[in-house]
Amino acid sequence: PDGHLFFTNGDRQKFDPAQDPKSTLGKVLRLTDEGRPAPGNPLVSKGFHPAIWSYGHRNLLGIAFDAAGNLWQQEMGPRDGDELNLVLPGRNYGWPIVSNGTHYDGRDIPDHSTRPQYEAPKIFWNPAISPAGLMIYSGDLFPAWKGSAFLGGMNRPGLMRVRLNGAEAAKAEFWDMDGQRIREVEQGPDGALWVLEDGQRGSSGRLLRLTPSG
Protein backbone atom coordinates (compact mmCIF):
# COMPACT_ATOMS: atom_id res chain seq x y z
CA PRO A 1 0.00 0.00 0.00
CA ASP A 2 2.88 2.44 0.56
CA GLY A 3 4.50 1.64 -2.80
CA HIS A 4 7.32 -0.46 -1.38
CA LEU A 5 8.16 -4.16 -1.57
CA PHE A 6 7.72 -6.27 1.57
CA PHE A 7 10.00 -9.28 1.31
CA THR A 8 10.31 -12.31 3.62
CA ASN A 9 13.64 -13.94 4.38
CA GLY A 10 13.78 -17.19 6.39
CA ASP A 11 16.45 -18.05 8.94
CA ARG A 12 17.77 -20.98 6.82
CA GLN A 13 17.68 -23.10 10.03
CA LYS A 14 20.61 -21.10 11.36
CA PHE A 15 18.62 -19.91 14.42
CA ASP A 16 20.65 -17.00 15.81
CA PRO A 17 20.62 -14.72 12.73
CA ALA A 18 16.89 -14.15 13.30
CA GLN A 19 17.88 -12.01 16.32
CA ASP A 20 21.04 -10.51 14.77
CA PRO A 21 20.37 -6.84 13.97
CA LYS A 22 22.94 -6.85 11.14
CA SER A 23 21.67 -10.01 9.40
CA THR A 24 18.67 -10.06 7.07
CA LEU A 25 17.90 -13.74 7.81
CA GLY A 26 14.70 -14.41 9.77
CA LYS A 27 13.30 -11.00 8.92
CA VAL A 28 10.59 -9.15 7.01
CA LEU A 29 12.33 -6.58 4.81
CA ARG A 30 10.92 -3.40 3.25
CA LEU A 31 12.62 -2.42 0.00
CA THR A 32 12.36 0.07 -2.82
CA ASP A 33 11.48 -1.20 -6.28
CA GLU A 34 15.22 -1.13 -7.01
CA GLY A 35 15.91 -3.53 -4.14
CA ARG A 36 17.42 -1.01 -1.76
CA PRO A 37 16.31 -0.43 1.86
CA ALA A 38 13.17 1.71 1.82
CA PRO A 39 13.26 5.06 3.61
CA GLY A 40 11.61 5.20 7.01
CA ASN A 41 12.25 1.61 8.10
CA PRO A 42 11.73 1.44 11.86
CA LEU A 43 14.96 0.01 13.29
CA VAL A 44 17.69 2.00 11.56
CA SER A 45 18.22 4.28 14.56
CA LYS A 46 18.84 1.20 16.74
CA GLY A 47 21.69 0.00 14.53
CA PHE A 48 19.77 -2.64 12.56
CA HIS A 49 20.33 -3.38 8.89
CA PRO A 50 18.39 -0.59 7.16
CA ALA A 51 16.12 -2.97 5.21
CA ILE A 52 14.59 -4.66 8.29
CA TRP A 53 10.90 -4.13 9.06
CA SER A 54 10.41 -6.89 11.69
CA TYR A 55 12.58 -9.68 13.04
CA GLY A 56 12.66 -12.89 15.08
CA HIS A 57 10.99 -15.00 12.37
CA ARG A 58 11.76 -18.58 11.35
CA ASN A 59 10.57 -19.86 7.95
CA LEU A 60 8.21 -17.32 6.39
CA LEU A 61 6.18 -18.80 3.52
CA GLY A 62 3.30 -16.40 2.90
CA ILE A 63 2.63 -12.68 3.20
CA ALA A 64 -0.38 -10.53 2.29
CA PHE A 65 -2.06 -7.22 3.08
CA ASP A 66 -5.73 -7.03 4.02
CA ALA A 67 -8.07 -4.29 2.82
CA ALA A 68 -7.27 -2.12 5.85
CA GLY A 69 -3.55 -2.27 5.13
CA ASN A 70 -2.68 -4.76 7.87
CA LEU A 71 0.24 -7.02 6.93
CA TRP A 72 -0.25 -10.73 7.68
CA GLN A 73 2.39 -13.43 7.43
CA GLN A 74 2.52 -17.15 8.06
CA GLU A 75 5.56 -19.22 8.93
CA MET A 76 6.48 -22.79 9.74
CA GLY A 77 7.45 -23.50 13.31
CA PRO A 78 10.15 -26.04 14.19
CA ARG A 79 8.28 -29.16 15.30
CA ASP A 80 4.71 -27.89 15.54
CA GLY A 81 3.93 -24.28 16.42
CA ASP A 82 3.21 -23.03 12.88
CA GLU A 83 2.14 -19.38 13.07
CA LEU A 84 -0.04 -16.68 11.56
CA ASN A 85 1.33 -13.27 12.54
CA LEU A 86 0.18 -9.70 12.24
CA VAL A 87 3.42 -8.00 11.19
CA LEU A 88 4.02 -4.71 12.97
CA PRO A 89 6.94 -2.37 12.26
CA GLY A 90 9.99 -2.87 14.44
CA ARG A 91 8.56 -5.75 16.45
CA ASN A 92 10.48 -8.85 17.55
CA TYR A 93 8.59 -12.13 17.03
CA GLY A 94 10.92 -14.09 19.28
CA TRP A 95 12.49 -16.88 17.22
CA PRO A 96 14.56 -18.83 18.28
CA ILE A 97 14.13 -17.71 21.90
CA VAL A 98 10.43 -18.55 21.99
CA SER A 99 8.11 -20.74 19.92
CA ASN A 100 4.89 -22.63 20.50
CA GLY A 101 6.61 -25.70 19.06
CA THR A 102 9.68 -27.73 20.06
CA HIS A 103 13.05 -28.49 18.49
CA TYR A 104 13.20 -31.44 16.10
CA ASP A 105 15.35 -33.34 18.60
CA GLY A 106 12.61 -32.96 21.22
CA ARG A 107 14.17 -30.16 23.29
CA ASP A 108 11.64 -27.73 24.66
CA ILE A 109 11.41 -24.10 23.56
CA PRO A 110 9.71 -21.59 25.88
CA ASP A 111 6.24 -20.59 24.66
CA HIS A 112 5.45 -17.02 23.65
CA SER A 113 3.28 -16.68 26.74
CA THR A 114 6.38 -16.96 28.95
CA ARG A 115 8.13 -14.01 27.27
CA PRO A 116 5.60 -11.16 26.81
CA GLN A 117 8.28 -8.86 25.38
CA TYR A 118 8.07 -10.81 22.11
CA GLU A 119 5.16 -10.44 19.69
CA ALA A 120 2.98 -13.56 19.85
CA PRO A 121 1.24 -15.15 16.84
CA LYS A 122 -2.44 -14.44 16.37
CA ILE A 123 -2.95 -18.14 15.62
CA PHE A 124 -0.68 -21.14 15.99
CA TRP A 125 -1.09 -24.79 15.05
CA ASN A 126 -0.19 -27.79 17.22
CA PRO A 127 0.17 -30.29 15.63
CA ALA A 128 1.82 -28.67 12.63
CA ILE A 129 -0.02 -28.05 9.38
CA SER A 130 3.07 -26.94 7.38
CA PRO A 131 1.34 -23.88 5.91
CA ALA A 132 1.86 -22.91 2.28
CA GLY A 133 0.88 -19.67 0.58
CA LEU A 134 -1.33 -16.93 1.95
CA MET A 135 -4.15 -15.04 0.26
CA ILE A 136 -6.71 -12.61 1.69
CA TYR A 137 -9.99 -12.84 -0.18
CA SER A 138 -11.56 -9.70 -1.67
CA GLY A 139 -13.85 -11.16 -4.33
CA ASP A 140 -17.63 -11.36 -4.74
CA LEU A 141 -18.19 -15.04 -5.59
CA PHE A 142 -17.94 -15.97 -1.91
CA PRO A 143 -19.30 -12.83 -0.18
CA ALA A 144 -19.36 -14.44 3.28
CA TRP A 145 -15.61 -14.97 3.03
CA LYS A 146 -14.61 -11.44 2.03
CA GLY A 147 -11.69 -10.37 4.18
CA SER A 148 -10.79 -13.92 5.20
CA ALA A 149 -7.31 -15.40 4.85
CA PHE A 150 -6.77 -18.67 2.97
CA LEU A 151 -3.72 -20.90 3.18
CA GLY A 152 -2.76 -24.39 2.14
CA GLY A 153 -1.69 -27.23 4.38
CA MET A 154 0.96 -29.82 3.55
CA ASN A 155 1.67 -31.76 6.75
CA ARG A 156 -2.08 -31.65 7.34
CA PRO A 157 -3.17 -31.81 3.69
CA GLY A 158 -5.95 -29.42 2.77
CA LEU A 159 -7.17 -25.86 2.46
CA MET A 160 -8.08 -23.68 5.38
CA ARG A 161 -9.86 -20.39 5.99
CA VAL A 162 -8.94 -18.00 8.78
CA ARG A 163 -11.42 -15.33 9.84
CA LEU A 164 -9.78 -11.90 10.22
CA ASN A 165 -11.31 -9.12 12.28
CA GLY A 166 -9.12 -6.04 12.50
CA ALA A 167 -6.00 -7.14 14.36
CA GLU A 168 -7.47 -10.47 15.46
CA ALA A 169 -7.71 -13.86 13.74
CA ALA A 170 -9.64 -17.09 14.36
CA LYS A 171 -9.56 -20.50 12.72
CA ALA A 172 -12.61 -21.22 10.56
CA GLU A 173 -13.24 -23.97 7.97
CA PHE A 174 -10.83 -26.68 6.92
CA TRP A 175 -11.31 -28.78 3.77
CA ASP A 176 -9.19 -31.93 3.41
CA MET A 177 -9.15 -31.70 -0.43
CA ASP A 178 -9.19 -35.52 -0.76
CA GLY A 179 -5.96 -35.73 1.18
CA GLN A 180 -3.97 -33.63 -1.28
CA ARG A 181 -1.20 -31.36 -0.02
CA ILE A 182 -1.97 -27.78 -1.07
CA ARG A 183 1.04 -25.75 -2.15
CA GLU A 184 -0.61 -22.44 -3.09
CA VAL A 185 -3.97 -20.64 -3.13
CA GLU A 186 -4.79 -17.50 -5.10
CA GLN A 187 -7.85 -15.44 -6.01
CA GLY A 188 -8.80 -15.23 -9.67
CA PRO A 189 -10.04 -12.03 -11.32
CA ASP A 190 -13.65 -13.28 -11.13
CA GLY A 191 -13.39 -14.15 -7.43
CA ALA A 192 -12.86 -17.89 -7.88
CA LEU A 193 -10.31 -19.66 -5.69
CA TRP A 194 -7.38 -21.20 -7.56
CA VAL A 195 -5.68 -24.00 -5.63
CA LEU A 196 -2.44 -25.75 -6.58
CA GLU A 197 -1.83 -29.29 -5.36
CA ASP A 198 1.65 -30.54 -4.50
CA GLY A 199 2.77 -33.33 -6.86
CA GLN A 200 3.74 -36.48 -4.96
CA ARG A 201 5.37 -39.84 -5.68
CA GLY A 202 5.91 -39.13 -9.35
CA SER A 203 2.38 -37.82 -9.94
CA SER A 204 1.58 -34.30 -11.09
CA GLY A 205 -0.34 -31.95 -8.84
CA ARG A 206 -3.51 -30.41 -10.26
CA LEU A 207 -4.49 -26.76 -10.58
CA LEU A 208 -8.10 -26.47 -9.37
CA ARG A 209 -10.61 -23.64 -9.82
CA LEU A 210 -13.16 -23.51 -7.00
CA THR A 211 -16.52 -21.76 -7.37
CA PRO A 212 -19.76 -21.87 -5.33
CA SER A 213 -21.87 -25.00 -5.80
CA GLY A 214 -25.46 -24.86 -6.96
Side-chain angles (χ1 to χ4, degrees), residues 61-67 72-74 84 131-139 142 145-152 159-164 175 183-189 191-195 210:
L61 293 172
I63 189 168
F65 283 96
D66 66 20
W72 296 88
Q73 164 268 327
Q74 57 87 346
L84 178 70
L134 180 66
M135 178 271 287
I136 297 177
Y137 188 74
S138 62
F142 300 96
W145 294 346
K146 189 169 288 191
S148 292
F150 286 83
L151 57 158
L159 176 68
M160 63 201 69
R161 182 176 78 90
V162 173
R163 187 181 299 109
L164 302 180
W175 301 273
R183 176 64 67 174
E184 184 63 66
V185 55
E186 294 289 351
Q187 177 183 317
L193 298 181
W194 289 81
V195 175
L210 307 181

Short mmCIF file of all heavy atoms in Angstrom, two decimals, residues 61-67 72-74 84 131-139 142 145-152 159-164 175 183-189 191-195 210:
data_model
loop_
_atom_site.label_atom_id
_atom_site.label_comp_id
_atom_site.label_asym_id
_atom_site.label_seq_id
_atom_site.Cartn_x
_atom_site.Cartn_y
_atom_site.Cartn_z
N LEU A 61 6.58 -18.21 4.80
CA LEU A 61 6.18 -18.80 3.52
C LEU A 61 4.94 -18.16 2.91
O LEU A 61 4.43 -18.65 1.90
CB LEU A 61 5.95 -20.30 3.70
CG LEU A 61 7.21 -21.10 4.03
CD1 LEU A 61 6.85 -22.54 4.36
CD2 LEU A 61 8.18 -21.07 2.87
N GLY A 62 4.45 -17.08 3.49
CA GLY A 62 3.30 -16.40 2.90
C GLY A 62 3.15 -15.03 3.52
O GLY A 62 3.38 -14.85 4.72
N ILE A 63 2.78 -14.05 2.71
CA ILE A 63 2.63 -12.68 3.20
C ILE A 63 1.57 -11.99 2.37
O ILE A 63 1.49 -12.19 1.15
CB ILE A 63 3.99 -11.95 3.14
CG1 ILE A 63 3.95 -10.59 3.85
CG2 ILE A 63 4.50 -11.83 1.72
CD1 ILE A 63 5.31 -9.98 4.06
N ALA A 64 0.70 -11.20 3.02
CA ALA A 64 -0.38 -10.53 2.29
C ALA A 64 -0.93 -9.39 3.12
O ALA A 64 -0.96 -9.46 4.36
CB ALA A 64 -1.51 -11.52 1.97
N PHE A 65 -1.37 -8.34 2.44
CA PHE A 65 -2.06 -7.22 3.08
C PHE A 65 -3.57 -7.44 3.02
O PHE A 65 -4.10 -7.92 2.01
CB PHE A 65 -1.74 -5.91 2.36
CG PHE A 65 -0.38 -5.36 2.67
CD1 PHE A 65 0.69 -5.61 1.84
CD2 PHE A 65 -0.19 -4.57 3.80
CE1 PHE A 65 1.95 -5.09 2.11
CE2 PHE A 65 1.06 -4.05 4.09
CZ PHE A 65 2.13 -4.31 3.23
N ASP A 66 -4.27 -7.03 4.08
CA ASP A 66 -5.73 -7.03 4.02
C ASP A 66 -6.21 -5.67 3.53
O ASP A 66 -5.41 -4.76 3.25
CB ASP A 66 -6.35 -7.42 5.37
CG ASP A 66 -6.10 -6.43 6.50
OD1 ASP A 66 -5.78 -5.25 6.21
OD2 ASP A 66 -6.22 -6.82 7.67
N ALA A 67 -7.52 -5.51 3.41
CA ALA A 67 -8.07 -4.29 2.82
C ALA A 67 -7.79 -3.06 3.66
O ALA A 67 -7.78 -1.94 3.15
CB ALA A 67 -9.58 -4.46 2.62
N TRP A 72 -0.18 -9.40 7.07
CA TRP A 72 -0.25 -10.73 7.68
C TRP A 72 0.82 -11.62 7.07
O TRP A 72 1.15 -11.49 5.89
CB TRP A 72 -1.64 -11.34 7.48
CG TRP A 72 -2.72 -10.58 8.16
CD1 TRP A 72 -3.44 -9.53 7.65
CD2 TRP A 72 -3.19 -10.77 9.49
NE1 TRP A 72 -4.34 -9.06 8.57
CE2 TRP A 72 -4.21 -9.80 9.72
CE3 TRP A 72 -2.86 -11.66 10.51
CZ2 TRP A 72 -4.89 -9.72 10.92
CZ3 TRP A 72 -3.54 -11.58 11.71
CH2 TRP A 72 -4.55 -10.61 11.91
N GLN A 73 1.30 -12.55 7.87
CA GLN A 73 2.39 -13.43 7.43
C GLN A 73 2.25 -14.76 8.15
O GLN A 73 1.88 -14.81 9.32
CB GLN A 73 3.73 -12.74 7.76
CG GLN A 73 4.95 -13.60 7.74
CD GLN A 73 5.26 -14.18 9.10
OE1 GLN A 73 5.00 -13.55 10.12
NE2 GLN A 73 5.78 -15.38 9.13
N GLN A 74 2.51 -15.84 7.42
CA GLN A 74 2.52 -17.15 8.06
C GLN A 74 3.89 -17.77 7.94
O GLN A 74 4.63 -17.52 6.97
CB GLN A 74 1.42 -18.07 7.48
CG GLN A 74 1.46 -18.30 5.99
CD GLN A 74 2.36 -19.45 5.59
OE1 GLN A 74 3.15 -19.95 6.36
NE2 GLN A 74 2.23 -19.89 4.35
N LEU A 84 0.47 -17.79 12.35
CA LEU A 84 -0.04 -16.68 11.56
C LEU A 84 0.19 -15.43 12.38
O LEU A 84 -0.29 -15.31 13.52
CB LEU A 84 -1.52 -16.84 11.24
CG LEU A 84 -2.14 -15.68 10.44
CD1 LEU A 84 -1.61 -15.69 9.02
CD2 LEU A 84 -3.66 -15.75 10.44
N PRO A 131 2.12 -24.78 6.76
CA PRO A 131 1.34 -23.88 5.91
C PRO A 131 2.07 -23.50 4.63
O PRO A 131 3.30 -23.43 4.59
CB PRO A 131 1.15 -22.65 6.81
CG PRO A 131 2.32 -22.68 7.73
CD PRO A 131 2.60 -24.11 7.98
N ALA A 132 1.30 -23.28 3.58
CA ALA A 132 1.86 -22.91 2.28
C ALA A 132 0.99 -21.83 1.66
O ALA A 132 -0.23 -22.00 1.57
CB ALA A 132 1.93 -24.12 1.36
N GLY A 133 1.62 -20.74 1.23
CA GLY A 133 0.88 -19.67 0.58
C GLY A 133 0.02 -18.91 1.57
O GLY A 133 -0.24 -19.35 2.69
N LEU A 134 -0.41 -17.74 1.16
CA LEU A 134 -1.33 -16.93 1.95
C LEU A 134 -2.03 -15.96 1.01
O LEU A 134 -1.39 -15.27 0.24
CB LEU A 134 -0.59 -16.16 3.05
CG LEU A 134 -1.45 -15.28 3.95
CD1 LEU A 134 -2.39 -16.13 4.81
CD2 LEU A 134 -0.58 -14.41 4.85
N MET A 135 -3.35 -15.94 1.08
CA MET A 135 -4.15 -15.04 0.26
C MET A 135 -5.28 -14.50 1.12
O MET A 135 -5.87 -15.23 1.92
CB MET A 135 -4.71 -15.79 -0.96
CG MET A 135 -5.61 -14.96 -1.86
SD MET A 135 -7.36 -15.02 -1.36
CE MET A 135 -7.82 -16.67 -1.87
N ILE A 136 -5.58 -13.21 0.98
CA ILE A 136 -6.71 -12.61 1.69
C ILE A 136 -7.78 -12.28 0.66
O ILE A 136 -7.54 -11.53 -0.29
CB ILE A 136 -6.27 -11.38 2.48
CG1 ILE A 136 -5.26 -11.83 3.55
CG2 ILE A 136 -7.46 -10.69 3.13
CD1 ILE A 136 -4.67 -10.72 4.37
N TYR A 137 -8.95 -12.85 0.85
CA TYR A 137 -9.99 -12.84 -0.18
C TYR A 137 -10.70 -11.48 -0.23
O TYR A 137 -11.10 -10.92 0.79
CB TYR A 137 -11.01 -13.95 0.11
CG TYR A 137 -12.01 -14.14 -1.00
CD1 TYR A 137 -11.64 -14.75 -2.19
CD2 TYR A 137 -13.31 -13.69 -0.87
CE1 TYR A 137 -12.56 -14.92 -3.21
CE2 TYR A 137 -14.24 -13.85 -1.89
CZ TYR A 137 -13.85 -14.47 -3.07
OH TYR A 137 -14.74 -14.63 -4.09
N SER A 138 -10.88 -10.98 -1.47
CA SER A 138 -11.56 -9.70 -1.67
C SER A 138 -12.63 -9.78 -2.75
O SER A 138 -13.16 -8.76 -3.17
CB SER A 138 -10.53 -8.61 -2.05
OG SER A 138 -9.88 -8.94 -3.27
N GLY A 139 -12.94 -11.00 -3.20
CA GLY A 139 -13.85 -11.16 -4.33
C GLY A 139 -15.32 -11.17 -3.93
O GLY A 139 -15.68 -11.03 -2.75
N PHE A 142 -17.70 -15.43 -3.25
CA PHE A 142 -17.94 -15.97 -1.91
C PHE A 142 -18.07 -14.78 -0.94
O PHE A 142 -17.15 -14.48 -0.18
CB PHE A 142 -16.77 -16.86 -1.48
CG PHE A 142 -16.53 -18.06 -2.37
CD1 PHE A 142 -15.57 -18.00 -3.37
CD2 PHE A 142 -17.24 -19.23 -2.18
CE1 PHE A 142 -15.32 -19.09 -4.18
CE2 PHE A 142 -16.99 -20.34 -2.98
CZ PHE A 142 -16.04 -20.27 -3.99
N TRP A 145 -17.03 -14.77 2.72
CA TRP A 145 -15.61 -14.97 3.03
C TRP A 145 -14.76 -13.73 2.74
O TRP A 145 -13.54 -13.77 2.86
CB TRP A 145 -15.06 -16.15 2.23
CG TRP A 145 -15.68 -17.47 2.62
CD1 TRP A 145 -16.42 -17.74 3.73
CD2 TRP A 145 -15.59 -18.69 1.90
NE1 TRP A 145 -16.81 -19.05 3.74
CE2 TRP A 145 -16.32 -19.67 2.62
CE3 TRP A 145 -14.98 -19.06 0.69
CZ2 TRP A 145 -16.43 -20.98 2.21
CZ3 TRP A 145 -15.10 -20.38 0.27
CH2 TRP A 145 -15.81 -21.33 1.02
N LYS A 146 -15.39 -12.65 2.34
CA LYS A 146 -14.61 -11.44 2.03
C LYS A 146 -13.83 -11.00 3.26
O LYS A 146 -14.38 -10.88 4.35
CB LYS A 146 -15.52 -10.33 1.54
CG LYS A 146 -14.77 -9.12 0.99
CD LYS A 146 -15.71 -8.16 0.26
CE LYS A 146 -16.18 -8.73 -1.06
NZ LYS A 146 -16.87 -7.70 -1.90
N GLY A 147 -12.55 -10.76 3.08
CA GLY A 147 -11.69 -10.37 4.18
C GLY A 147 -11.05 -11.51 4.93
O GLY A 147 -10.24 -11.28 5.84
N SER A 148 -11.39 -12.76 4.56
CA SER A 148 -10.79 -13.92 5.20
C SER A 148 -9.44 -14.26 4.57
O SER A 148 -9.19 -13.95 3.40
CB SER A 148 -11.70 -15.15 5.08
OG SER A 148 -12.87 -15.00 5.84
N ALA A 149 -8.59 -14.90 5.35
CA ALA A 149 -7.31 -15.40 4.85
C ALA A 149 -7.47 -16.87 4.47
O ALA A 149 -8.19 -17.62 5.16
CB ALA A 149 -6.22 -15.23 5.89
N PHE A 150 -6.81 -17.28 3.40
CA PHE A 150 -6.77 -18.67 2.97
C PHE A 150 -5.32 -19.11 2.87
O PHE A 150 -4.47 -18.36 2.39
CB PHE A 150 -7.46 -18.84 1.61
CG PHE A 150 -8.95 -18.75 1.66
CD1 PHE A 150 -9.58 -17.51 1.64
CD2 PHE A 150 -9.73 -19.89 1.76
CE1 PHE A 150 -10.96 -17.41 1.71
CE2 PHE A 150 -11.12 -19.80 1.83
CZ PHE A 150 -11.73 -18.56 1.80
N LEU A 151 -5.05 -20.34 3.32
CA LEU A 151 -3.72 -20.90 3.18
C LEU A 151 -3.82 -22.40 3.01
O LEU A 151 -4.80 -23.03 3.42
CB LEU A 151 -2.83 -20.55 4.37
CG LEU A 151 -3.26 -20.92 5.77
CD1 LEU A 151 -2.03 -20.97 6.68
CD2 LEU A 151 -4.21 -19.86 6.34
N GLY A 152 -2.81 -22.95 2.35
CA GLY A 152 -2.76 -24.39 2.14
C GLY A 152 -2.10 -25.09 3.30
O GLY A 152 -1.37 -24.49 4.10
N LEU A 159 -7.02 -27.30 2.64
CA LEU A 159 -7.17 -25.86 2.46
C LEU A 159 -7.91 -25.32 3.68
O LEU A 159 -8.89 -25.92 4.12
CB LEU A 159 -7.97 -25.58 1.19
CG LEU A 159 -8.31 -24.12 0.89
CD1 LEU A 159 -7.05 -23.33 0.54
CD2 LEU A 159 -9.32 -24.05 -0.27
N MET A 160 -7.44 -24.21 4.20
CA MET A 160 -8.08 -23.68 5.38
C MET A 160 -8.39 -22.19 5.24
O MET A 160 -7.70 -21.47 4.52
CB MET A 160 -7.24 -23.92 6.63
CG MET A 160 -5.90 -23.25 6.64
SD MET A 160 -4.80 -24.07 7.81
CE MET A 160 -4.54 -25.64 6.98
N ARG A 161 -9.46 -21.80 5.93
CA ARG A 161 -9.86 -20.39 5.99
C ARG A 161 -9.65 -19.89 7.41
O ARG A 161 -9.94 -20.59 8.38
CB ARG A 161 -11.33 -20.23 5.59
CG ARG A 161 -11.79 -18.76 5.60
CD ARG A 161 -13.23 -18.63 5.11
NE ARG A 161 -14.23 -19.00 6.09
CZ ARG A 161 -14.78 -18.17 6.97
NH1 ARG A 161 -14.39 -16.89 7.01
NH2 ARG A 161 -15.71 -18.59 7.81
N VAL A 162 -9.12 -18.67 7.50
CA VAL A 162 -8.94 -18.00 8.78
C VAL A 162 -9.76 -16.71 8.76
O VAL A 162 -9.65 -15.91 7.83
CB VAL A 162 -7.46 -17.68 9.04
CG1 VAL A 162 -7.30 -16.83 10.29
CG2 VAL A 162 -6.66 -18.97 9.16
N ARG A 163 -10.59 -16.52 9.74
CA ARG A 163 -11.42 -15.33 9.84
C ARG A 163 -10.59 -14.19 10.44
O ARG A 163 -10.00 -14.34 11.53
CB ARG A 163 -12.63 -15.62 10.72
CG ARG A 163 -13.68 -14.52 10.78
CD ARG A 163 -14.82 -14.90 11.69
NE ARG A 163 -15.51 -16.11 11.23
CZ ARG A 163 -15.42 -17.29 11.85
NH1 ARG A 163 -14.70 -17.43 12.94
NH2 ARG A 163 -16.06 -18.33 11.38
N LEU A 164 -10.51 -13.07 9.73
CA LEU A 164 -9.78 -11.90 10.22
C LEU A 164 -10.77 -10.82 10.65
O LEU A 164 -11.76 -10.58 9.98
CB LEU A 164 -8.87 -11.34 9.13
CG LEU A 164 -7.80 -12.29 8.55
CD1 LEU A 164 -6.98 -11.57 7.49
CD2 LEU A 164 -6.92 -12.86 9.64
N TRP A 175 -10.88 -27.79 4.76
CA TRP A 175 -11.31 -28.78 3.77
C TRP A 175 -10.13 -29.69 3.47
O TRP A 175 -9.03 -29.21 3.13
CB TRP A 175 -11.77 -28.10 2.48
CG TRP A 175 -12.92 -27.15 2.68
CD1 TRP A 175 -14.26 -27.44 2.66
CD2 TRP A 175 -12.84 -25.73 2.92
NE1 TRP A 175 -15.00 -26.31 2.88
CE2 TRP A 175 -14.17 -25.24 3.04
CE3 TRP A 175 -11.77 -24.83 3.04
CZ2 TRP A 175 -14.45 -23.90 3.27
CZ3 TRP A 175 -12.05 -23.48 3.28
CH2 TRP A 175 -13.37 -23.04 3.40
N ARG A 183 -0.18 -26.55 -2.09
CA ARG A 183 1.04 -25.75 -2.15
C ARG A 183 0.75 -24.25 -2.23
O ARG A 183 1.52 -23.43 -1.72
CB ARG A 183 1.86 -26.20 -3.36
CG ARG A 183 3.12 -25.42 -3.64
CD ARG A 183 4.13 -25.55 -2.55
NE ARG A 183 4.68 -26.89 -2.41
CZ ARG A 183 5.68 -27.20 -1.58
NH1 ARG A 183 6.21 -26.27 -0.81
NH2 ARG A 183 6.11 -28.43 -1.50
N GLU A 184 -0.35 -23.87 -2.86
CA GLU A 184 -0.61 -22.44 -3.09
C GLU A 184 -2.10 -22.22 -3.29
O GLU A 184 -2.80 -23.08 -3.80
CB GLU A 184 0.15 -21.97 -4.33
CG GLU A 184 0.06 -20.49 -4.64
CD GLU A 184 0.67 -19.63 -3.56
OE1 GLU A 184 1.87 -19.67 -3.34
OE2 GLU A 184 -0.12 -18.92 -2.91
N VAL A 185 -2.60 -21.06 -2.88
CA VAL A 185 -3.97 -20.64 -3.13
C VAL A 185 -3.95 -19.18 -3.54
O VAL A 185 -3.25 -18.38 -2.93
CB VAL A 185 -4.87 -20.89 -1.89
CG1 VAL A 185 -4.32 -20.23 -0.65
CG2 VAL A 185 -6.30 -20.43 -2.15
N GLU A 186 -4.72 -18.86 -4.58
CA GLU A 186 -4.79 -17.50 -5.10
C GLU A 186 -6.23 -17.18 -5.46
O GLU A 186 -7.06 -18.08 -5.65
CB GLU A 186 -3.90 -17.32 -6.33
CG GLU A 186 -2.41 -17.44 -6.06
CD GLU A 186 -1.83 -16.29 -5.28
OE1 GLU A 186 -2.54 -15.27 -5.09
OE2 GLU A 186 -0.67 -16.40 -4.85
N GLN A 187 -6.53 -15.90 -5.58
CA GLN A 187 -7.85 -15.44 -6.01
C GLN A 187 -7.79 -15.07 -7.48
O GLN A 187 -6.92 -14.30 -7.90
CB GLN A 187 -8.28 -14.24 -5.18
CG GLN A 187 -9.62 -13.64 -5.60
CD GLN A 187 -9.96 -12.42 -4.79
OE1 GLN A 187 -9.78 -12.40 -3.58
NE2 GLN A 187 -10.43 -11.38 -5.46
N GLY A 188 -8.72 -15.60 -8.27
CA GLY A 188 -8.80 -15.23 -9.67
C GLY A 188 -9.51 -13.91 -9.87
O GLY A 188 -10.16 -13.39 -8.96
N PRO A 189 -9.42 -13.34 -11.07
CA PRO A 189 -10.04 -12.03 -11.32
C PRO A 189 -11.55 -12.03 -11.18
O PRO A 189 -12.14 -10.97 -10.95
CB PRO A 189 -9.60 -11.71 -12.77
CG PRO A 189 -9.18 -13.01 -13.35
CD PRO A 189 -8.66 -13.84 -12.24
N GLY A 191 -13.09 -13.79 -8.80
CA GLY A 191 -13.39 -14.15 -7.43
C GLY A 191 -13.32 -15.63 -7.12
O GLY A 191 -13.52 -16.03 -5.97
N ALA A 192 -13.04 -16.47 -8.13
CA ALA A 192 -12.86 -17.89 -7.88
C ALA A 192 -11.58 -18.12 -7.09
O ALA A 192 -10.65 -17.31 -7.11
CB ALA A 192 -12.82 -18.66 -9.20
N LEU A 193 -11.52 -19.25 -6.38
CA LEU A 193 -10.31 -19.66 -5.69
C LEU A 193 -9.53 -20.61 -6.59
O LEU A 193 -10.08 -21.59 -7.10
CB LEU A 193 -10.63 -20.36 -4.37
CG LEU A 193 -11.37 -19.57 -3.30
CD1 LEU A 193 -11.58 -20.43 -2.06
CD2 LEU A 193 -10.61 -18.30 -2.93
N TRP A 194 -8.27 -20.33 -6.80
CA TRP A 194 -7.38 -21.20 -7.56
C TRP A 194 -6.43 -21.88 -6.57
O TRP A 194 -5.75 -21.20 -5.78
CB TRP A 194 -6.59 -20.40 -8.59
CG TRP A 194 -7.45 -19.93 -9.73
CD1 TRP A 194 -8.27 -18.84 -9.75
CD2 TRP A 194 -7.58 -20.54 -11.01
NE1 TRP A 194 -8.90 -18.72 -10.97
CE2 TRP A 194 -8.49 -19.76 -11.76
CE3 TRP A 194 -7.02 -21.67 -11.61
CZ2 TRP A 194 -8.86 -20.07 -13.07
CZ3 TRP A 194 -7.38 -21.99 -12.90
CH2 TRP A 194 -8.29 -21.20 -13.63
N VAL A 195 -6.41 -23.21 -6.61
CA VAL A 195 -5.68 -24.00 -5.63
C VAL A 195 -4.72 -24.93 -6.36
O VAL A 195 -5.11 -25.64 -7.30
CB VAL A 195 -6.66 -24.82 -4.76
CG1 VAL A 195 -5.91 -25.73 -3.82
CG2 VAL A 195 -7.59 -23.90 -3.99
N LEU A 210 -12.04 -23.24 -7.90
CA LEU A 210 -13.16 -23.51 -7.00
C LEU A 210 -14.17 -22.37 -7.08
O LEU A 210 -13.81 -21.21 -6.96
CB LEU A 210 -12.67 -23.65 -5.57
CG LEU A 210 -11.53 -24.66 -5.32
CD1 LEU A 210 -11.18 -24.70 -3.84
CD2 LEU A 210 -11.88 -26.04 -5.84
#
